[in-house]
Amino acid sequence: MAFKYLIVLACIVSALAQMSSSNFDASKCGTQKRCINIPNNCQSSGNCQYQISYAPAGDGKSMIIELYGRRDSPSMQYVAIGFSTDTQMGNEPVAACIVTPNGQAQLSYSFNQEGRRNVPLGPINPSDSQLLSSSVTPNSIYCKFSQSIIPTTNQALPNLQRPYNLLLARGPIQANGQLARHTDRQALSTMTSMAQ
């Protein structure tokens, strides 16, 4: 009888962990997509600060990327991933999931220049990247998007065949909608090549 209650409790905890990550479906991690959770193994307790997943798209030319960030306050208006050749910010492309003034999430690309200045890349051709789904709740920001493995129209986007140190950040946005200085960041210590 106690075993039955443990199974029910485990199912409830698993459901709550998935709900806390908005649309991020951790059940497919390791089988249909690769996942990175920060802190490690956070999905079981529902306390993930960041979650990333990536998997090849059906076209063989792009990747499907999911980006989740926990919101600790309403001023937390973006979650971003930088594709860096080292573990320091500066000189890397950035994909960000941004909360718009109407409360929706949008995908935005920018480039961190030397000196840590973040410069928007402007509209991105849908053949290189497009938002597939998104959600914003009081506790989370989530975007699922496709990106060409080798971008053809904007060379500032990351080439996903190359290995990168992934730099994750969350923070507010400026009045003009651009990323402001992050209030939280994490750098992954191992190189990741999404398309390999």
Side-chain angles (χ1 to χ4, degrees):
M1 185 75 159
F3 181 70
K4 195 184 228 182
Y5 288 115
L6 286 175
I7 291 174
V8 170
L9 181 61
C11 290
I12 291 171
V13 168
S14 175
L16 287 173
Q18 284 189 16
M19 284 176 27
S20 73
S21 298
S22 194
N23 293 358
F24 193 95
D25 183 3
S27 69
K28 296 178 181 175
C29 292
T31 57
Q32 297 178 12
K33 60 186 179 181
R34 294 181 188 164
C35 298
I36 299 169
N37 299 299
I38 298 174
N40 285 333
N41 302 315
C42 60
Q43 68 277 9
S44 60
S45 60
N47 68 341
C48 293
Q49 298 292 317
Y50 300 96
Q51 290 181 292
I52 304 165
S53 78
Y54 52 97
D59 65 4
K61 298 177 184 176
S62 57
M63 299 294 289
I64 304 298
I65 301 171
E66 290 179 286
L67 180 57
Y68 161 87
R70 189 171 84 189
R71 291 180 83 188
D72 297 328
S73 72
S75 66
M76 190 78 63
Q77 297 174 305
Y78 74 82
V79 58
I81 180 171
F83 297 86
S84 182
T85 56
D86 57 28
T87 58
Q88 302 298 311
M89 189 177 93
N91 201 29
E92 65 269 331
V94 175
C97 188
I98 298 175
V99 180
T100 63
N102 67 1
Q104 303 296 310
Q106 73 179 24
L107 178 63
S108 173
Y109 281 91
S110 58
F111 194 85
N112 285 337
Q113 294 181 337
E114 292 296 335
R116 299 183 177 154
R117 182 169 179 255
N118 183 267
V119 178
L121 294 180
I124 301 298
N125 189 309
S127 67
D128 276 338
S129 182
Q130 56 185 304
L131 183 64
L132 303 174
S133 64
S134 64
S135 70
V136 176
T137 71
N139 300 317
S140 67
I141 303 170
Y142 167 84
C143 285
K144 180 178 183 178
F145 57 98
S146 66
Q147 185 190 307
S148 293
I149 294 171
I150 302 173
T152 57
T153 63
N154 191 327
Q155 298 306 308
L157 296 180
N159 178 334
L160 299 178
Q161 284 186 326
R162 295 183 181 147
Y164 293 104
N165 283 302
L166 302 180
L167 308 177
L168 301 163
R170 302 178 291 162
I173 56 174
Q174 301 175 47
N176 63 6
Q178 294 179 10
L179 304 184
R181 183 171 172 78
H182 50 71
T183 54
D184 180 69
R185 66 180 178 89
Q186 297 284 327
L188 300 184
S189 59
T190 58
M191 298 290 271
T192 301
S193 181
M194 290 187 174
Q196 298 193 5

